[in-house]
Amino acid sequence: QVQLVESGGGAVQTRGSLKLSCAVSGNVARDACMGWFRQVPGKEREGVALIDKDGDIMVADFAKGRFTISKENAGNTLYLQMNTLTPEDTAMYYCAVGGKEKCLWAYYSGKDVSQVPGDFTYWGQGTQVTVSS
């Protein structure tokens, strides 16, 4: 049984920073694709950033230059460092684990990571990020 538990969300002002963490437990495939998503009420969930087994990362256009995804080598903890936050970044943030094909989609589809299909296998319960102006 794989479990994901996010932490690190909170309320910050514009241009502030937050670092989200996702504790991963259970038997995760070594070639799994791991990532962060976000969702605002009334809108579709969107991809934020992905990282594959080799540590290669893919970041949505809206996050480039501001957000960084990383993981501990064992893959037990996933991180999302978020800088220069704006009110548009206010959302519930989720970590997710899926098959390697999810990261391959990001490599080869030609589409932005924000459009990655959301049918990942495992999900956390989310952590709220609120950015005030």
Side-chain angles (χ1 to χ4, degrees), residues 46-108:
E46 62 180 356
V48 177
L50 304 175
I51 186 167
D52 70 7
K53 66 179 180 65
D54 296 321
D56 293 329
I57 65 175
M58 293 141 282
V59 181
D61 286 346
F62 68 77
K64 287 179 180 176
R66 302 189 302 129
F67 295 4
T68 303
I69 187 173
S70 61
K71 63 179 179 177
E72 291 184 351
N73 288 335
N76 293 330
T77 307
L78 184 68
Y79 300 102
L80 184 68
Q81 175 68 48
M82 304 187 294
N83 300 323
T84 320
L85 287 161
T86 73
E88 290 69 34
D89 296 314
T90 295
M92 186 72 79
Y93 285 72
Y94 300 89
C95 63
V97 174
K100 62 181 180 181
E101 70 278 3
K102 301 303 180 186
C103 282
L104 292 176
W105 178 95
Y107 284 133
Y108 297 115

Side-chain angles (χ1 to χ4, degrees), residues 2-6 35-38 45 94-97 117-126:
V2 174
Q3 291 188 325
L4 309 177
V5 180
E6 301 96 336
W36 289 93
F37 289 75
R38 70 183 188 180
R45 182 170 51 197
Y94 300 89
C95 63
V97 174
D119 53 339
F120 279 54
T121 307
Y122 303 105
W123 291 87
Q125 292 186 326

Side-chain angles (χ1 to χ4, degrees), residues 10-30:
V12 296
Q13 292 187 328
T14 298
R15 294 185 296 279
S17 298
L18 283 173
K19 186 174 185 177
L20 306 183
S21 299
C22 175
V24 182
S25 61
N27 188 17
V28 176
R30 295 183 64 182

